[in-house]
Amino acid sequence: MNTATTPASPFVSRAVERVVRGQAASDGDGVKLTRVLTQPLQKRLDPFLMLDAFGSDSASDYVGGFPDHPHRGFETVTIMLEGRMRHRDSVGNVGLLEPGSVQWMTAGRGIIHSEMPEQEEGRMAGFQLWVNLAAADKMTAPAYRDIAPDAVPAYTGAAGVRVRVIAGRSDGTAGAVTRPKTEPVVLDLTLPPGSTFDAELPAGHNAFAYVFGATPVAIGAAGATTVEPDRMAILANDAGGDGVRFAVPADAAEAARVLLVAGHPLGEPIAQYGPFVMNTTAELQRAVQDFKSGALAG
Ligand code: FE
């Protein structure tokens, strides 16, 4: 970096603790995806339980979609980049996920939903993030929000960096979603070649950055780590670390893309059985029983 042209950061940047490559996986009716945040990382990245990245030009990778399936005990966040998916659920919600839209669903005590492609060709790409609910909120009533592309607050910062504030807050811009307890920050960043961006992250939040697109990004201040596309950087919980710096090489062919995610850890036991995430095995057994008996949803 040319320090003469790099602005001083207003924050203490966290360093990259570890770079994670996702695992190829299949879910729903044979949808191919990359599971980036896997179960062994749930404790480290509390309150986040899962991050899936999907992206394919081949209809056979996604056309099966995600037929009816239940959830209990957490929230699902679907971030569509390309393609269209239709959501239907047991609460009676129907929504179309289109490019740039976000769906924030609180499963709470139970919801059954489907997410089916509304296209038979072309590219489908996006993310699904799972955010845990505190024990006291796991049996809350289910809720659902579709956020249209132009309803996601966005701004263009210094050096032309485009910031879509899906959740939390960035540089005074409030995001589309605010949640208690986990206080998630979810930013979709587009960083032009040669740009530097300093994001604020509440100290004490667990945080990670997923680099997508085609351009690597240097993450951290002194001794930055270059993170290649399709990799997740877990950001260290450095004492006083209240931000993170991203820098894109000036000779990059195109803008870099980063999904930055941070949240306040719940510090509670995590028990998962497929689409149910509770605190104890007994609660999971109850979830399975309720699903079988039809008492989970509705
Ligand atoms: Fe689902």
Side-chain angles (χ1 to χ4, degrees), residues 165-182:
V165 190
I166 295 169
R169 175 171 286 276
S170 177
D171 199 21
T173 297
V177 175
T178 304
R179 300 296 291 145
K181 298 181 187 174
T182 53

Side-chain angles (χ1 to χ4, degrees), residues 42-294:
Q42 287 175 336
K43 205 165 176 186
R44 172 63 188 85
L45 293 174
D46 178 10
F48 302 104
L49 299 165
M50 191 189 84
L51 177 71
D52 283 347
F54 52 94
S56 177
D57 299 311
S58 172
S60 61
D61 287 345
Y62 62 72
V63 81
F66 301 87
D68 271 348
H69 60 279
H71 292 291
R72 173 179 278 181
F74 60 102
E75 306 189 85
T76 69
V77 183
T78 307
I79 300 166
M80 288 300 284
L81 300 172
E82 296 178 78
R84 284 176 172 75
M85 296 247 269
R86 177 69 65 180
H87 164 99
R88 291 177 205 276
D89 67 40
S90 53
V91 183
N93 300 300
V94 179
L96 181 64
L97 286 157
E98 51 185 339
S101 71
V102 175
Q103 178 203 83
W104 199 290
M105 186 179 85
T106 303
R109 65 175 175 254
I111 200 164
I112 296 171
H113 74 151
S114 62
E115 297 146 304
M116 300 301 289
E118 196 137 296
Q119 63 188 41
E120 288 171 2
E121 56 179 25
R123 186 164 175 78
M124 178 80 74
F127 298 103
Q128 189 167 88
L129 174 70
W130 287 9
V131 187
N132 209 354
L133 286 167
D137 300 325
K138 282 185 175 291
M139 296 299 278
T140 192
Y144 167 88
R145 259 188 81 190
D146 257 334
I147 303 157
D150 61 5
V152 178
Y155 68 92
T156 302
V161 174
R162 185 78 178 153
V163 183
R164 299 177 72 230
V165 190
I166 295 169
R169 175 171 286 276
S170 177
D171 199 21
T173 297
V177 175
T178 304
R179 300 296 291 145
K181 298 181 187 174
T182 53
E183 299 166 18
V185 176
V186 181
L187 305 181
D188 172 9
L189 305 173
T190 303
L191 306 117
S195 65
T196 296
F197 179 70
D198 293 298
E200 181 174 11
L201 293 175
H205 270 36
N206 287 329
F208 62 90
Y210 185 75
V211 177
F212 58 107
T215 301
V217 182
I219 302 179
T225 301
T226 297
V227 179
E228 298 294 327
D230 305 327
R231 303 285 190 280
M232 171 175 70
I234 296 176
L235 305 180
N237 289 54
D238 300 322
D242 61 353
V244 59
R245 166 160 287 195
F246 300 101
V248 181
D251 61 357
E254 57 185 84
R257 301 295 308 276
V258 173
L259 184 71
L260 176 62
V261 178
H264 185 262
L266 294 169
E268 296 173 350
I270 300 167
Q272 178 174 2
Y273 178 70
F276 309 125
V277 184
M278 304 300 289
N279 300 108
T280 67
T281 305
E283 290 168 345
L284 292 177
Q285 289 166 347
R286 179 65 194 266
V288 172
Q289 280 170 12
D290 285 353
F291 177 50
K292 286 183 176 162
S293 72

